[in-house]
């Protein structure tokens, strides 16, 4: 019987466990993360996420199309999917929109994606974007086939489905990987337990670089190096009243990357309107055992889960205020941030 340990119970780890156990029912699958499920500092422990195929890289565009098909047709996942569409805004010099359209055409995707003028977009969504900060040469693309997924709800349900399928869940921080002759044979937890399996799968996101450095500090060939970097963006949630819910409930997801605006928003879920500042940052520290500089999430985990805005640095709050005003202008009057978080992810993944 084949055995697997999956470290990290966010969207990648849980999805891997779910599909692995469905495809190989006899396999022994252990899912391990820092807390009882779902882990509140996982990037996927979130209000919602954009599900799209609007990527410049055709590889990811194709994966996005497959993902959208699953969210739309699988009864298990479809209950948390909302076909809100995605509005992408870029500056006039960017070729992102042209590349997205080229990729969709090459893949013969019947997406209905099309370019719009600011006036046309304003009319399409009943004037909600009439105050959006735009310049004359900015480009706009609306893709009605995209949508949003209720992330935390879908994640929690998939974890429960894994347990029903026979996946074992272990709630314990992993301190290091057990590596012998360049082969990973298991993991050791903070409380000293050792777990072993034939296959070890890391779905550890922003914690990957440090975990490998801690596990094999003298093996330079195993280090992550520049291939991926832990980075974070700041997110905010606004609790809407009934009138505000009616005002924003039909908006699409928006990815605005023109001029001084780098941010996103999504339609409200359970009365919460989410915003993201896409101005990312990293936390670089010296790792003495391996002698390298690495980026790691902050040790204060309160910042990495939905929490009071008081724990978030003032400059990040200002970035988010700029995003909100840039997207909605006067329409954002009365919106007050309820909670905020830092969402850590890995940037610069190299495909080979």
């Amino acid at each position: 019987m084949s055995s697997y340990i999956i470290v990290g119970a966010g969207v990648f780890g849980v999805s891997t466990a779910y599909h692995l156990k469905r495809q190989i029912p006899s396999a022994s699958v252990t899912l391990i993360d820092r807390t009882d499920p779902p882990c509140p500092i996982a990037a996927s422990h979130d209000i919602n996420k954009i599900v799209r195929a609007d990527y410049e890289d055709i590889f990811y565009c194709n994966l996005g199309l497959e993902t959208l098909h699953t969210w739309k047709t699988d009864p298990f996942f479809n209950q948390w999917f909302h076909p809100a569409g995605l509005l992408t805004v870029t500056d006039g010099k960017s070729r992102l929109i042209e590349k997205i359209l080229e990729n969709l055409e090459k893949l013969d995707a019947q997406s209905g994606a099309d370019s719009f003028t600011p006036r046309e977009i304003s009319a399409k969504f009943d004037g909600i974007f009439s105050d959006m900060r735009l310049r004359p040469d900015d480009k706009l693309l609306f893709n009605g086939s995209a949508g949003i997924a209720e992330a935390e709800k879908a994640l929690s349900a998939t974890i429960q489905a894994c347990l029903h399928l026979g996946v074992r869940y272990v709630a314990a921080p992993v301190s290091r990987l057990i590596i012998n002759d360049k082969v990973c044979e298991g993991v050791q937890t903070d409380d000293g337990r050792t777990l072993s399996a034939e296959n070890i799968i890391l779905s550890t996101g922003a914690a990957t670089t440090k975990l490998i450095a801690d596990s094999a500090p003298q093996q330079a060939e195993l280090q992550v190096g520049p291939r991926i970097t832990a980075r974070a963006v700041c997110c905010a949630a606004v609790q809407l009243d009934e009138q505000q819910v009616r005002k924003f409930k039909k908006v699409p997801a928006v990815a605005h990357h023109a001029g001084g605006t780098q941010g996103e928003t999504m339609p409200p879920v359970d009365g919460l309107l989410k915003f993201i500042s896409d101005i990312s940052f990293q936390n670089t520290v010296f790792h003495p055992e391996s002698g390298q500089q690495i980026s790691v999430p902050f040790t204060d985990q309160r910042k990495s889960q939905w929490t009071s805005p008081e724990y978030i640095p003032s400059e990040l709050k200002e970035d988010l205020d700029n995003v909100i005003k840039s997207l909605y202008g006067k329409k954002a009057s009365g919106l007050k941030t309820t909670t905020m978080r830092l969402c850590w992810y890995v940037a610069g993944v190299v495909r080979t």
Side-chain angles (χ1 to χ4, degrees):
M1 180 176 66
S2 56
S3 59
Y4 300 82
I5 290 174
I6 301 169
V7 185
V11 62
F12 287 102
V14 171
S15 178
T16 300
Y18 176 75
H19 291 288
L20 183 61
K21 193 63 176 175
R22 291 186 68 190
Q23 293 178 25
I24 314 175
S26 62
S28 169
V29 180
T30 298
L31 191 59
I32 183 168
D33 210 332
R34 293 156 285 192
T35 69
D36 290 331
C39 180
I41 64 174
S44 47
H45 188 277
D46 206 347
I47 301 165
N48 48 21
K49 297 287 189 184
I50 300 174
V51 185
R52 61 191 173 107
D54 300 52
Y55 289 99
E56 187 174 13
D57 188 324
I58 196 168
F59 175 82
Y60 291 109
C61 181
N62 189 48
L63 285 180
L65 291 170
E66 293 179 11
T67 302
L68 278 165
H69 177 75
T70 299
W71 281 104
K72 292 177 179 180
T73 61
D74 189 314
F76 179 72
F77 293 107
N78 178 257
Q79 57 190 312
W80 297 289
F81 179 76
H82 304 275
L86 171 64
L87 173 63
T88 301
V89 183
T90 70
D91 61 46
K93 295 181 180 180
S94 171
R95 290 203 72 256
L96 173 61
I97 287 176
E98 289 82 355
K99 189 63 179 177
I100 290 170
L101 291 172
E102 289 172 12
N103 289 340
L104 292 172
E105 183 177 1
K106 287 179 182 178
L107 295 170
D108 196 26
Q110 306 300 314
S111 66
D114 202 359
S115 298
F116 286 80
T117 66
R119 181 172 295 183
E120 289 170 337
I121 280 293
S122 179
K124 184 176 180 65
F125 293 100
D126 299 326
I128 192 69
F129 297 123
S130 61
D131 293 334
M132 180 181 285
R133 190 179 299 168
L134 295 170
R135 298 169 303 177
D137 64 340
D138 287 343
K139 302 174 183 178
L140 295 87
L141 175 73
F142 179 69
N143 189 341
S145 70
I148 63 166
E150 297 183 50
E152 191 276 331
K153 293 179 183 178
L155 178 66
S156 296
T158 308
I159 292 172
Q160 293 305 312
C162 285
L163 299 179
H164 181 74
L165 290 169
V167 173
R168 176 191 178 199
Y169 188 97
V170 175
V174 171
S175 57
R176 70 180 186 92
L177 307 173
I178 300 171
I179 300 174
N180 292 310
D181 295 327
K182 300 181 183 180
V183 176
C184 186
E185 300 175 345
V187 302
Q188 187 175 76
T189 63
D190 278 2
D191 58 12
R193 282 179 288 170
T194 297
L195 305 175
S196 302
E198 296 171 342
N199 304 280
I200 313 298
I201 300 172
L202 299 186
S203 298
T204 41
T208 303
T209 302
K210 185 176 186 301
L211 177 60
I212 293 176
D214 288 344
S215 304
Q218 303 306 314
Q219 295 179 259
E221 68 278 10
L222 296 183
Q223 303 306 310
V224 170
R227 288 176 291 174
I228 61 173
T229 303
R231 299 190 68 87
V233 294
C234 191
C235 307
V238 176
Q239 182 66 61
L240 305 178
D241 59 31
E242 291 184 9
Q243 183 178 357
Q244 291 169 329
V245 168
R246 291 193 294 271
K247 180 179 180 180
F248 290 99
K249 69 178 181 179
K250 293 185 179 180
V251 300
V254 182
H256 195 308
H257 301 296
T261 306
Q262 300 290 325
E264 303 175 10
T265 189
M266 279 143 263
V269 169
D270 295 333
L272 290 171
L273 184 62
K274 177 183 161 187
F275 294 91
I276 305 171
S277 170
D278 281 337
I279 300 176
S280 64
F281 63 92
Q282 61 191 64
N283 177 44
T284 303
V285 300
F286 180 68
H287 189 267
E289 291 80 10
S290 63
Q292 60 180 327
Q293 299 279 347
I294 61 175
S295 179
V296 297
F298 294 138
T299 54
D300 183 355
Q301 296 185 356
R302 289 176 300 181
K303 295 184 176 71
S304 299
Q305 52 189 305
W306 288 107
T307 186
S308 169
E310 66 183 280
Y311 296 113
I312 304 299
S314 59
E315 60 269 25
L316 298 181
K317 297 178 188 177
E318 292 172 4
D319 288 340
L320 269 167
D321 286 342
N322 178 57
V323 169
I324 295 172
K325 292 174 182 176
S326 297
L327 292 175
Y328 289 118
K330 296 177 182 177
K331 304 291 193 307
S333 176
L335 298 183
K336 295 182 179 180
T337 299
T338 310
T339 56
M340 301 181 75
R341 73 174 298 200
L342 300 180
C343 181
W344 288 90
Y345 66 101
V346 289
V349 178
V350 176
R351 288 195 293 116
T352 57

